[in-house]
Amino acid sequence: MKDERQKKTPFFTKLKEYGLSDITPFDVPGHKLGRLSNDLLDFIGLNTYLLDSNAPRGLDTLSKPTGVIKEAQALAAEAFGADHAFFLTNGTTGGIIAMIMATCRANEKIILPRNVHKSIINALIFSGAVPVFVKPDIDNNLGIANGLTFKSMKKAIDDNPDAVAILVINPTYFGLTSDLVQIVDYAHEKDLLVLADEAHGAQLYFSDLLPMGAITAGADIASTSMHKTGVSFTQSSILLTKGDRIDLNKIQSTLNMIHSTSPSALLMASLDVARKQMYFSAEEEIKRVLELKKEAVPRLNSIRGVQVLDESYANERGFLGFDHTKLVIKVSELGLNGFDVYRALKDRFNIQLELAETYLVLAILTMATIKEDLDRLYVALKTLSDEVYDHYDELKKIKFNYTFPETFVRPRVAYHAPHKIIELTDALGEVSAESIMIYPPGIPMLIPGEIITEQFLEDLAFYEENGSVIFSELNNGKIKVIDKDNWDKLEVYIDEL
Ligand SMILES: Cc1ncc(COP(=O)(O)O)c(C=O)c1O
């Protein structure tokens, strides 16, 4: 039975009313609700500008909600089965930084997989928490890192009785989910908080055909990108909490440190409306999309050189569940790598995939996916396969050995340590002072404090050759490393941090 109260969109409704109220605006934003025409306004229309206001009186305040934002957040919490929800206007990134800062003090330990998103590494720098990185399941045949199984998380918890929190990724970018109920129960038994990165998990709360959301499994707090696998505007996410282990005031005050004092009303309205839409329609729409996928997968698998990963992959790797909205396609047997296919699909067929890895590509399905999308993907992959399958040799085995470099100092120490900039060609054995990753997925190959290995340098060169977007502080073959000649200063920093 659906709750009729979820039909309300308190923030969006009030915002619309305000925009249409013929207000005389002597406040910011300076466009004064779209008074002056410009190229953007001409394209998107006046209504968007009418909603871009920042009027605390009547429209409530994100930093201390007491009115329509509070009401909208409460509806969101209920829709997700959480106790509290905080709207985020700087993505799950903001939620992750706030949840780690608010739960782990400097020098307290947090257990987490090493293949976390860069926002988590940055949260460790902000908070000073000490990461206990656990090696995730690594599949060298596919060249990907998966998540943590209960077994590996349990071992890490047992080995670190002084840790205060664990962090789980639910699901991983490639859709794998762990036995969260077991992990959460064990962590709680040992008095640890459970934090979840659910950047790819908003849909899990709205369909029984998908694995469980972290909050449903009992996690204390989860940062959830409504904009990725839900249907809200880019950059809008929700931070969810459950139970009484989390200090809500601390979360709010930490969010207030991170958020702009002028959060986007458009993004908040988008969250309000997306929550309603997902509450009432996601279940049906996801069912529809999964049926489409069921029809599409055998067709895709019939293409020579193409293979879609399914739940059996997750189970073989020791994971409990698989998020079927992820369409993970192994393409290496075409004789092409994932990057070639990603580029070809975009440049020749106008198909934008989510990401490429060496051996595979990832397409994300959401409640807004339609049959034509999958049909076009089939035609494009079939065309590529017909062109190349008989002509290419097996893909030259890339010396791909998914390893993570060793930690020399933790990210916060490396961030504060004296630095120098050197050529990448001289970097072997140095300690990085920056994060380097390909984007997407934004999971750092190297983080501040890790020792630069030959493997890292080779992998980076490989990604560069393949035209991946590399996120790093510097370009032109340079890298920021710890300046060991000033190591004595670093000792001071270590004591202080
Ligand atoms: C696993 C993971 N965590 C966190 C984030 C950050 O999310 P957002 O883009 O909503 O800030 C991302 C974004 O790509 C991600 O993939």
Side-chain angles (χ1 to χ4, degrees):
M1 253 311 256
K2 295 285 182 202
D3 184 344
E4 289 295 298
R5 288 177 314 118
Q6 289 286 338
K7 286 194 170 153
K8 289 173 73 180
T9 49
F11 182 73
F12 170 59
T13 304
K14 194 80 180 176
L15 182 65
K16 209 166 43 168
E17 227 173 70
Y18 180 85
L20 297 172
S21 69
D22 197 25
I23 190 101
T24 303
F26 278 111
D27 62 345
V28 297
H31 60 66
K32 308 285 182 189
L33 308 179
R35 288 255 177 85
L36 306 172
S37 143
N38 63 42
D39 295 348
L40 183 66
L41 187 146
D42 290 347
F43 183 71
I44 62 175
L46 179 64
N47 281 351
T48 311
Y49 275 80
L50 284 179
L51 294 189
D52 187 43
S53 54
N54 182 19
R57 197 171 145 75
L59 286 180
D60 208 359
T61 311
L62 185 62
S63 58
K64 199 174 190 298
T66 54
V68 283
I69 295 178
K70 186 176 176 188
E71 223 184 303
Q73 291 187 153
L75 285 168
E78 278 174 36
F80 278 86
D83 290 339
H84 293 276
F86 298 85
F87 284 177
L88 304 168
T89 58
N90 59 340
T92 286
T93 294
I96 280 173
I97 292 172
M99 75 183 180
I100 291 182
M101 282 182 68
T103 55
C104 305
R105 285 181 299 210
N107 298 318
E108 288 182 336
K109 278 189 187 170
I110 177 170
I111 299 170
L112 68 177
R114 165 59 181 80
N115 57 328
V116 287
H117 184 256
K118 77 185 191 100
S119 55
I120 293 175
I121 304 301
N122 292 336
L124 296 171
I125 293 175
F126 286 130
S127 79
V130 178
V132 177
F133 285 124
V134 185
K135 194 174 158 205
D137 170 62
I138 287 172
D139 181 349
N140 276 320
N141 285 326
L142 274 186
I144 58 171
N146 296 311
L148 297 186
T149 57
F150 170 68
K151 201 169 147 209
S152 50
M153 188 54 102
K154 178 177 181 301
K155 181 171 183 324
I157 292 174
D158 291 342
D159 289 349
N160 294 278
D162 52 342
V164 299
I166 65 168
L167 184 139
V168 294
I169 307 169
N170 188 56
T172 67
Y173 226 131
F174 302 108
L176 272 55
T177 59
S178 314
D179 186 345
L180 271 191
V181 172
Q182 217 181 352
I183 290 178
V184 168
D185 285 352
Y186 195 69
H188 282 165
E189 200 182 301
K190 301 285 171 186
D191 235 2
L192 293 171
L193 291 172
V194 181
L195 284 46
D197 172 353
E198 287 199 313
H200 299 277
Q203 72 291 3
L204 303 182
Y205 292 87
F206 299 95
S207 170
D208 289 343
L209 303 171
L210 301 177
M212 204 180 266
I215 289 290
T216 317
D220 301 293
I221 186 161
S223 193
T224 307
S225 291
M226 283 287 272
H227 69 99
K228 286 186 193 288
T229 54
V231 288
S232 65
F233 278 163
T234 292
Q235 225 174 303
S236 59
S237 287
I238 296 191
L239 188 60
L240 304 164
T241 70
K242 180 106 182 168
D244 54 11
R245 291 184 185 83
I246 298 289
D247 179 345
L248 298 174
N249 289 331
K250 195 154 184 205
I251 293 287
Q252 183 69 70
S253 61
T254 313
L255 282 172
N256 294 350
M257 290 161 67
I258 296 164
H259 264 141
S260 162
T261 43
S262 318
S264 163
L266 263 177
L267 294 187
M268 291 190 280
S270 159
L271 282 172
D272 204 16
V273 172
R275 178 268 312 153
K276 171 181 167 179
Q277 188 175 11
M278 291 172 77
Y279 180 83
F280 287 106
S281 325
E283 194 177 2
E284 243 343 89
E285 296 294 349
I286 288 172
K287 191 163 164 233
R288 174 188 61 77
V289 170
L290 296 189
E291 272 159 20
L292 289 179
K293 185 184 177 191
K294 230 180 227 165
E295 285 164 24
V297 168
R299 290 182 80 205
L300 290 167
N301 279 338
S302 73
I303 302 172
R304 292 178 307 161
V306 166
Q307 190 201 340
V308 176
L309 261 56
D310 59 19
E311 190 149 24
S312 63
Y313 174 75
N315 300 150
E316 274 162 30
R317 306 296 306 179
F319 290 85
L320 186 71
F322 183 67
D323 172 5
H324 297 283
T325 63
K326 310 287 188 282
L327 186 54
V328 186
I329 309 172
K330 187 175 175 203
V331 292
S332 50
E333 277 160 37
L334 287 169
L336 301 174
N337 66 38
F339 306 102
D340 297 329
V341 173
Y342 178 91
R343 266 194 308 270
L345 260 55
K346 173 66 180 60
D347 297 349
R348 294 180 47 199
F349 302 94
N350 209 19
I351 292 176
Q352 181 63 62
L353 294 168
E354 171 65 11
L355 64 75
E357 281 284 354
T358 312
Y359 297 113
L360 51 82
V361 291
L362 169 68
I364 290 198
L365 315 179
T366 72
M367 60 186 276
T369 299
I370 55 173
K371 182 171 183 309
E372 286 68 22
D373 299 338
L374 290 160
D375 289 347
R376 282 190 194 179
L377 183 63
Y378 169 77
V379 171
L381 286 171
K382 175 86 170 72
T383 310
L384 265 189
S385 169
D386 287 348
E387 285 171 8
V388 304
Y389 189 75
D390 292 327
H391 310 297
Y392 277 68
D393 292 333
E394 195 188 329
L395 184 66
K396 188 163 59 75
K397 270 276 174 251
I398 296 147
K399 195 177 136 265
F400 200 87
N401 179 19
Y402 210 123
T403 51
F404 289 108
E406 280 191 23
T407 302
F408 188 74
V409 286
R410 64 194 161 99
R412 183 175 166 101
V413 174
Y415 173 81
H416 286 290
H419 300 147
K420 62 181 181 182
I421 290 166
I422 61 168
E423 300 291 326
L424 263 172
T425 44
D426 297 328
L428 184 63
E430 298 282 346
V431 179
S432 178
E434 61 169 311
S435 283
I436 298 188
M437 72 214 74
I438 55 167
Y439 189 86
I443 294 166
M445 302 156 67
L446 184 71
I447 62 173
E450 283 182 342
I451 302 168
I452 298 162
T453 59
E454 204 160 335
Q455 181 74 55
F456 162 77
L457 294 170
E458 274 175 25
D459 290 348
L460 186 63
F462 169 75
Y463 284 127
E464 255 165 358
E465 266 165 38
N466 280 286
S468 304
V469 178
I470 313 256
F471 273 16
S472 65
E473 284 182 31
L474 307 159
N475 292 316
N476 305 325
K478 296 195 188 315
I479 186 167
K480 191 163 93 179
V481 296
I482 290 180
D483 178 2
K484 286 185 186 159
D485 293 338
N486 282 310
W487 208 237
D488 49 338
K489 280 195 200 149
L490 180 61
E491 297 299 327
V492 175
Y493 281 117
I494 289 175
D495 288 346
E496 283 176 357
L497 291 166

